Amino acid sequence: MQLRYSFRLYPNGPQRSALARAFGCSRVVYNDAFRARETARAEGAPFPKTGDLSTLLITEAKKTGERSWLGEVSAVVLQQSLRDLDAAYRNFFDGLKGKRPRMGGPRLKSRKDNRQAVRFTANARWKITAGGGLSLPKIGEVRVKWSRALPCVPSTVAVIKDASGRYFASFVVYTGEDETLPGVAGQVGIDLGLTHFAILSDGTKIDSPRFLRRAEKKLKREQRRLSRKAKGSNNRTKARIKVTRAHARVADARREFHHQLSTKIIRENQAVAVEDLAVKGLARTRMAKSVHDAGWSAFLAMLEYKAARYGRTFHRIGRFEPTSQVCSQCGVKDGPKPLHIRDWECLACGAVLDRDINAAVNVAKAAGLAVSACRARVRPGPVPAQRGEAGTRRDGQLTVVGIPSL
């Protein structure tokens, strides 16, 4: 499996300038290749190949006065920008063919984009130094904050600058079968929600942290300050960075919560079942902010790749499965219920069920997992006694106790 490990970079002044040159040169080559291909398409000419574009836009362009500054950065960075354009076109055409979800076509890159990135492959001869720094060609040794050790030697590294001005090194590593965890007996179904982020079929309820809601007051304050700054001024740039950093803290906290919870669930269970949620549809309702704050899609993606990495089984059931309408005790469908009803009584067996736990149990059962539904019962409902049971025995004979008339 191919994974990415990201670590924070702390370049000094000259290194930031060198990285800015690398970002700019990579962007220029990408845009030149995009214009060349769009011009060929408009004229009905054959689609230019990557090798021809590399010779024309990199090798020959360095010899001209207009593009001589392309030689100030590593050639591998420029080559990888052409690979990125190829990937953008390939993904676009695959979406049209139905091989993947549809996405927009490639577009020109701007120096004002919030995210800038360059990629170095093994041909660039980058390395991790003995002192723990990251040595990059024509940039130097950049200080790295290592939060953990890499599982193997990485194949490529991408240097990323986000909207808040932070730098990251993203390493691509390949994992093997040695990371498979020992087998466990646990099997769990998961029902996702807003009041509780996740409800497990064993009765465990995990509260929703609501990172965006908790930081909303500070975000509003910083956004108001940004709106008062004159456009194009340095003060507006500083205020914009404060807003992006506040949003970055929220996103980082949410991602850390997702990683910790998904890792815990994968380690404790051999099989995990979830429901395929229509997040795009829910994001168009009045609950849109809470849905985005929960980050369900990112959490499910983490569960899926970690299950494949550690040798666990991951099931995703259909979104139209009536998990909230079926009694997990007897299997009778009781019909849809409003969201404000959190406990309901099954009319068939009399069990009083917690809505969320019952749905989590049904998710696991729909995926074919052998889970116990005992935790779905909140309390036994009143069941009428049979006439033969409502009596006393005298001399071995059953006598039914009658109700005296008033």
Side-chain angles (χ1 to χ4, degrees), residues 134-150:
L134 178 63
S135 179
L136 300 172
K138 297 190 177 182
I139 294 176
E141 183 177 345
V142 186
R143 186 165 66 92
V144 185
K145 184 177 181 180
W146 301 99
S147 57
R148 52 183 169 173
L150 293 172

Side-chain angles (χ1 to χ4, degrees), residues 110-289:
S110 171
R111 64 182 180 87
K112 296 182 180 181
D113 287 344
N114 291 332
R115 185 180 182 275
Q116 304 283 347
V118 291
R119 187 167 62 253
F120 298 88
T121 61
N123 295 333
R125 297 180 180 179
W126 62 272
K127 63 179 181 179
I128 300 174
T129 63
L134 178 63
S135 179
L136 300 172
K138 297 190 177 182
I139 294 176
E141 183 177 345
V142 186
R143 186 165 66 92
V144 185
K145 184 177 181 180
W146 301 99
S147 57
R148 52 183 169 173
L150 293 172
C152 62
V153 178
S155 59
T156 62
V157 60
V159 179
I160 302 169
K161 181 184 178 182
D162 65 3
S164 59
R166 301 180 300 175
Y167 293 85
F168 295 91
S170 179
F171 297 92
V172 176
V173 299
Y174 292 88
T175 60
E177 298 180 355
D178 55 337
E179 291 195 349
T180 302
L181 294 175
V184 294
Q187 296 181 346
V188 68
I190 304 175
D191 180 63
L192 300 178
L194 296 177
T195 304
H196 294 91
F197 176 78
I199 300 92
L200 309 185
S201 56
D202 61 0
T204 304
K205 291 187 176 182
I206 295 135
D207 292 333
S208 180
R210 299 183 180 181
F211 296 105
L212 180 61
R213 296 288 186 179
R214 283 158 45 187
E216 202 168 20
K217 184 177 180 180
K218 182 175 182 180
L219 289 171
K220 287 182 179 179
R221 182 175 66 249
E222 297 296 342
Q223 192 67 46
R224 284 197 300 267
R225 292 175 179 174
L226 173 63
S227 64
R228 298 189 185 108
K229 301 297 186 292
K231 292 185 177 181
S233 64
N234 291 333
N235 286 336
R236 185 177 180 85
T237 302
K238 295 176 183 179
R240 181 191 62 80
I241 292 176
K242 288 184 178 180
V243 172
T244 56
R245 286 179 177 174
H247 279 287
R249 282 191 289 269
V250 173
D252 291 344
R254 183 186 298 113
R255 189 183 305 111
E256 181 67 15
F257 169 74
H258 288 166
H259 272 296
Q260 291 182 358
L261 180 58
S262 59
T263 300
K264 182 177 184 296
I265 292 175
I266 290 297
R267 289 185 180 276
E268 295 178 354
N269 298 278
Q270 185 65 33
V272 179
V274 298
E275 186 177 5
D276 186 18
L277 298 174
V279 179
K280 289 185 178 180
L282 292 172
R284 292 193 293 266
T285 64
R286 58 185 178 85
M287 301 181 295
K289 183 180 289 187

Side-chain angles (χ1 to χ4, degrees), residues 7 17 21 84 88 95 117 134 147 153 184 210 266 280 301 310 313 316 325 338 345 368:
F7 302 92
S17 300
R21 285 194 297 270
D84 293 340
L134 178 63
S147 57
V153 178
V184 294
R210 299 183 180 181
I266 290 297
K280 289 185 178 180
Y310 296 118
T313 304
R316 193 189 291 263
Q325 305 177 24
E345 180 181 353

